[in-house]
Amino acid sequence: VQLQASGGGLVQAGGSLRLSCAASGRSFSSHAMGWFRQAPGKEREFVGGISWRGTRRDYADSVKGRFTISRDNAENTVSLQMNRLKPEDTAVYYCAADENSVSGAVTYNADAYEYWGQGTQVTVSS
């Protein structure tokens, strides 16, 4: 079972990036999916999460209105569209899957996720 994150890079403040996470080895259509990030010297933090069928999505207050999480269960992918990026968004971004989630729920706690991608670096310059 693998999660492969991609799409990170260097962007100027105010710009956009789209992160993608491809799952392989099994279907993740019955897993809550999430994006987390970790900046140097800081703890890993929740960015956004999405329920099994995408009926519920939620975000950290710091990214609400700028980031959008989505998923395509047919393709076994989850994405994070990041707009109006700020220097404080600079971090390594990780996608994750929670196999013990229930339908319609978003998982907020990193410890609840069983599967993690390798991370992709996002750097926003001022």
Side-chain angles (χ1 to χ4, degrees):
V1 176
Q2 284 191 326
L3 297 177
Q4 182 74 33
S6 62
L10 172 64
V11 65
Q12 288 189 331
S16 299
L17 281 174
R18 185 176 180 86
L19 306 184
S20 294
C21 178
S24 61
R26 64 182 296 178
S27 171
F28 282 80
S29 60
S30 60
H31 294 55
M33 302 293 292
W35 285 96
F36 288 75
R37 67 187 182 187
Q38 187 166 19
K42 294 189 176 181
E43 304 234 334
R44 188 170 297 192
E45 64 174 354
F46 173 82
V47 174
I50 189 167
S51 61
W52 290 10
R53 297 181 183 86
T55 53
R56 183 168 182 200
R57 314 174 196 205
D58 204 1
Y59 304 90
D61 287 343
S62 59
V63 307
K64 275 182 183 175
R66 300 188 297 122
F67 290 11
T68 302
I69 189 171
S70 60
R71 67 188 297 163
D72 183 337
N73 286 340
E75 296 292 328
N76 233 14
T77 59
V78 62
S79 298
L80 185 69
Q81 177 66 42
M82 306 186 296
N83 297 328
R84 303 199 309 276
L85 282 159
K86 304 176 181 180
E88 51 263 45
D89 295 318
T90 295
V92 178
Y93 284 70
Y94 299 89
C95 59
D98 175 12
E99 68 178 356
N100 293 312
S101 60
V102 297
S103 178
V106 169
T107 303
Y108 296 89
N109 187 350
D111 292 338
Y113 286 86
E114 291 80 20
Y115 304 105
W116 290 85
Q118 84 287 2
T120 184
Q121 176 71 47
V122 172
T123 303
V124 184
S125 63
S126 56

